Amino acid sequence: MRRSAYSAAPPDQAPGGGDIATLKTLLPYLWVYKWRVIAAMLALVGAKMANVGVPVVLKHLVDDMTISPGDPRMVLVLPVAMLVAYGALRLSTTVFTELREFLFARVTQRAVRTIALKVFRHLHSLSLRFHLNRQTGGMTRDIERGTRGVGSLISYTLFNILPTLVEITLVLGYLVTHYDIWFSVITFSALVLYITFTVVVTNWRTHFRRTMNDLDSKANTKAIDSLLNYETVKYFGNEEYEAKRYDEGLQRFENAAVKSQTSLSLLNTGQSAIIATAVTLILWRAAQGVIDGSMTLGDLVLVNAFMIQLYIPLNFLGVIYREIKQSLADMERLFSLLDQNREVADAPDARPLLTHGAQVKFSHVDFSYESKRQILFDVDFTIAAGTTTAVVGHSGSGKSTLSRLLFRFYEVNGGSITIDGQDLRSITQDSLRHAIGIVPQDTVLFNDTIEYNIAYGKPGATKEEIVAAARAASIHDFIESLPDGYQSMVGERGLKLSGGEKQRVAIARTLLKNPAILIFDEATSALDSKSEQAIQAQLKEIARDRTTMVIAHRLSTVADAHQILVLDHGRIVERGTHQDLLAAHGLYAQMWERQQARREDNVVDEAA
């Protein structure tokens, strides 16, 4: 089994370059809306100034209303101005807060959308090697968590952490300028101790969360892999075996989750102890000040209100910090996908492919998937424009590798491949793949309608074009016979259709694309004889006047090709027409004789 090119990072370390690197990666996506960001920050400061002003007004209100019994001022009217100011500040806090969220909503959502789209595009730009080795379940879970982490990080940082820091600054400034220095010392010391304790303990328990993420991704990968192979599981009666494998992952996740919760309880207890001690000391100093006459009851109310306003959001700082760390870890996994190297990339000066006949030429091509195992050796041949070249050989001889190289899913290790004299490495991949159509052995369809799957060959095609392609592929009548016609769903990977029906959809899709070059990669090898004969005739028809490469196992399907190449262990050992190769009495002739004998045996068996 190949080692995955995309696998989860070890649970004790982040896959990216750290939190700072992750934040640097995120900031450009936010700064696109810099004026909205600046306006939101101003609204944030306004909200916190109004919030800090509330206890100040409350202090003056209490002082004005603190009158001894019998005092002639008992007949004074209510301090309406103070009450109005109190209400206005309360309202201003809400208005500024909602304004900040309104301004920043588009910034957050656009950043999430842009990053998700960039990752999606990047995944499609990666080589076939990456996608053959990927673990789909774990990767999709990482993408989902990562994009959600972007929104969470922005929300927690700008709507929780930053407002709390602004409020702390304002409160400390007021305490320093109006009261005994001990109020500021106690408040500041408690904040430093609280934040230090939270950061140290949270960092200690971060690896528990990363372990949980890692195990969650692995369990999800196993579950999706098992469900995608539902029929195989049923064939071998391995439902219980699959359930045990899944439960093993869930059990490890359970153990990691218990450790995470235990360490969370320790963190919460320590935070509460620090806050309780600080608030008690502050109230003690305030009460002492009232007793010795250096402070009024309004000052006591003010200090108490400050502490409540300050420590209520601070009490959630540990939770917020943990969520921020988790969001950063999730985003690192997401951004690590963007760090995956594009093995095949367009050259800076790449030009669109220009075809005039579409002659294909492989010039002394060497290729290996892995450095220790070479697949193709000095492969050299030309497919003349408008002709058909067949490639035959035993399994593993490198036939399908030729089509992958022609699509430029991989780079050749040596030699070159050209179309009308243009090296594939000097042209854009998009124009190259638009010029090539393929009917593969295993046609995989999207879980959508038949119309959608045919139209995939030419997005935006009209209904008339789709129907014309279906008629040419001899599948229109079958589609019309279905209750929902062209709107019939084909199921996961097209499993609601038979092999022959899927192949006809693939042919219609390729016809709609109308490519200059065609590849038939053992397109009929999985079909029965009757379906093969019907589809083979259609393939020959659509290949007429097109440059065509046919990769085949059954030699009878390529007997009329203009040129036949015989591959053996990655080398071209014979080439020529069907008659030439039979006359040479080489490997091709041996393969032909064996297949003819097998065919005669099958005819006898059917007759019997």
Side-chain angles (χ1 to χ4, degrees):
M1 182 180 292
R2 292 189 181 97
R3 180 177 174 82
S4 174
Y6 173 73
S7 56
D12 59 341
Q13 68 181 44
D19 295 345
I20 300 300
T22 303
L23 289 173
K24 285 182 178 178
T25 306
L26 174 63
L27 285 178
Y29 297 99
L30 304 180
W31 201 240
V32 173
Y33 289 94
K34 55 181 175 292
W35 297 115
R36 276 181 174 266
V37 174
I38 293 171
M41 294 301 99
L42 292 175
L44 182 154
V45 173
K48 285 306 162 187
M49 290 184 68
N51 201 40
V52 170
V54 169
V56 176
V57 172
L58 187 61
K59 162 195 158 42
H60 291 294
L61 185 61
V62 171
D63 286 340
D64 289 347
M65 299 297 293
T66 305
I67 303 173
S68 302
D71 192 303
R73 290 180 299 167
M74 286 289 289
V75 297
L76 289 177
V77 297
L78 285 171
V80 177
M82 285 294 177
L83 292 175
V84 171
Y86 181 85
L89 287 172
R90 284 286 186 189
L91 179 61
S92 297
T93 301
T94 302
V95 170
F96 278 122
T97 299
E98 294 304 320
L99 178 61
R100 177 200 65 193
E101 302 222 7
F102 167 76
L103 290 169
F104 220 84
R106 183 171 295 278
V107 180
T108 303
Q109 296 306 318
R110 182 58 58 87
V112 171
R113 171 188 167 190
T114 304
I115 292 171
L117 180 61
K118 186 174 181 179
V119 171
F120 183 78
R121 288 183 184 277
H122 184 70
L123 289 174
H124 274 294
S125 73
L126 295 176
S127 70
L128 181 62
R129 192 190 313 274
F130 171 86
H131 288 281
L132 290 176
N133 292 332
R134 72 170 186 250
Q135 292 180 313
T136 305
M139 186 179 70
T140 54
R141 182 63 65 91
D142 286 337
I143 294 173
E144 175 190 344
R145 280 199 301 250
T147 51
R148 188 172 61 242
V150 173
S152 298
L153 178 67
I154 295 172
S155 175
Y156 289 129
T157 303
L158 297 179
F159 300 162
N160 296 99
I161 296 293
L162 192 56
T164 302
L165 293 177
V166 171
E167 189 165 4
I168 288 172
T169 302
L170 293 173
V171 168
L172 287 175
Y174 191 91
L175 292 177
V176 167
T177 56
H178 290 79
Y179 297 109
D180 185 274
I181 190 63
W182 281 106
F183 287 98
S184 301
V185 170
I186 293 171
T187 303
F188 182 74
S189 300
L191 289 173
V192 171
L193 182 60
Y194 183 94
I195 293 172
T196 302
F197 176 78
T198 300
V199 170
V200 170
V201 176
T202 302
N203 285 338
W204 165 66
R205 59 185 302 273
T206 296
H207 75 278
F208 293 130
R209 294 299 302 267
R210 286 198 175 127
T211 300
M212 288 171 60
N213 277 356
D214 183 55
L215 294 174
D216 181 41
S217 294
K218 288 181 178 178
N220 192 59
T221 296
K222 288 182 180 179
I224 290 180
D225 194 39
S226 177
L227 292 174
L228 287 176
N229 291 282
Y230 168 83
E231 291 185 52
T232 304
V233 174
K234 287 292 184 182
Y235 289 152
F236 292 92
N238 280 341
E239 294 90 343
E240 190 59 32
Y241 171 73
E242 291 295 327
K244 286 180 179 178
R245 288 181 69 231
Y246 184 49
D247 187 50
E248 287 173 3
L250 292 178
Q251 185 177 8
R252 287 193 291 271
F253 176 82
E254 176 188 336
N255 295 334
V258 169
K259 291 180 181 178
S260 178
Q261 183 59 47
T262 304
S263 61
L264 173 61
S265 300
L266 173 63
L267 178 60
N268 288 338
T269 303
Q271 289 171 335
S272 297
I274 294 171
I275 291 174
T277 302
V279 171
T280 302
L281 290 174
I282 287 288
L283 288 180
W284 169 70
R285 291 295 303 174
Q288 189 67 38
V290 172
I291 291 173
D292 61 26
S294 62
M295 297 177 66
T296 65
L297 284 178
D299 291 320
L300 178 63
V301 171
L302 170 65
V303 171
N304 185 60
F306 271 163
M307 293 305 102
I308 292 174
Q309 286 187 183
L310 199 60
Y311 283 116
I312 284 179
L314 197 61
N315 194 39
F316 296 101
L317 184 61
V319 176
I320 294 167
Y321 178 73
R322 287 193 301 274
E323 292 300 326
I324 287 176
K325 292 291 290 183
Q326 182 59 43
S327 297
L328 285 168
D330 292 340
M331 287 166 57
E332 284 182 78
R333 300 289 288 268
L334 178 67
F335 289 140
S336 70
L337 290 172
L338 291 174
D339 291 335
Q340 290 289 332
N341 181 43
R342 291 180 62 182
E343 183 181 337
V344 180
D346 286 343
D349 57 347
R351 304 178 306 277
L353 173 66
L354 300 175
T355 57
H356 42 274
Q359 180 199 67
V360 175
K361 183 175 178 60
F362 280 65
S363 301
H364 305 287
V365 170
D366 294 325
F367 177 74
S368 58
Y369 291 108
E370 299 172 1
S371 58
K372 296 181 180 179
R373 180 169 171 253
Q374 189 166 339
I375 302 298
L376 298 179
F377 300 84
D378 194 34
V379 172
D380 191 273
F381 66 90
T382 300
I383 307 177
T387 66
T388 297
T389 291
V391 183
V392 302
H394 298 297
S395 296
S397 60
K399 302 188 300 295
S400 294
T401 300
L402 296 177
S403 67
R404 290 174 173 178
L405 291 177
L406 186 56
F407 266 103
R408 206 181 166 209
F409 288 153
Y410 302 95
E411 297 282 30
V412 297
N413 300 130
S416 64
I417 304 173
T418 61
I419 297 177
D420 286 336
Q422 302 161 80
D423 195 307
L424 300 194
R425 290 166 293 198
S426 66
I427 59 179
T428 61
Q429 296 177 65
D430 184 63
S431 64
L432 169 67
R433 289 163 190 163
H434 273 88
I436 306 175
I438 185 169
V439 180
Q441 174 184 1
D442 181 20
T443 298
V444 178
L445 303 180
F446 291 95
N447 189 4
D448 209 303
T449 63
I450 292 178
E451 179 177 339
Y452 175 87
N453 277 282
I454 294 177
Y456 200 77
K458 182 183 176 182
T462 64
K463 183 63 178 287
E464 291 73 20
E465 291 175 314
I466 294 170
V467 171
R471 289 184 186 277
S474 301
I475 196 176
H476 173 74
D477 293 339
F478 163 75
I479 297 173
E480 287 294 299
S481 70
L482 298 174
D484 296 324
Y486 279 85
Q487 297 306 309
S488 301
M489 299 294 291
V490 303
E492 188 82 33
R493 298 173 64 85
L495 293 178
K496 289 185 178 181
L497 302 181
S498 69
E501 291 157 0
K502 285 200 296 183
Q503 289 300 81
R504 285 188 171 91
V505 170
I507 292 171
R509 184 164 62 186
T510 303
L511 283 171
L512 190 59
K513 184 178 183 180
N514 193 28
I517 302 170
L518 280 173
I519 300 175
F520 301 138
D521 190 354
E522 302 199 53
T524 61
S525 62
L527 305 179
D528 58 76
S529 299
K530 184 177 180 181
S531 297
E532 180 187 20
Q533 291 174 4
I535 290 179
Q536 197 63 43
Q538 293 164 348
L539 295 181
K540 290 178 181 178
E541 181 63 28
I542 67 173
R544 184 176 300 170
D545 300 326
R546 283 190 172 96
T547 303
T548 306
M549 182 166 70
V550 181
I551 298 168
H553 177 70
R554 297 178 186 173
L555 304 185
S556 58
T557 63
V558 298
D560 56 352
H562 298 92
Q563 175 184 216
I564 300 175
L565 307 175
V566 182
L567 272 183
D568 186 36
H569 293 93
R571 301 179 188 274
I572 298 178
V573 295
E574 296 180 54
R575 71 179 74 205
T577 64
H578 174 69
Q579 296 301 330
D580 293 338
L581 294 174
L582 287 181
H585 299 292
L587 180 60
Y588 181 87
Q590 296 173 16
M591 293 169 61
W592 177 263
E593 290 173 3
R594 281 196 295 270
Q595 290 190 13
Q596 289 301 106
R598 194 179 303 122
R599 185 177 180 182
E600 291 173 2
D601 290 342
N602 290 338
V603 171
V604 171
D605 289 342
E606 290 176 5

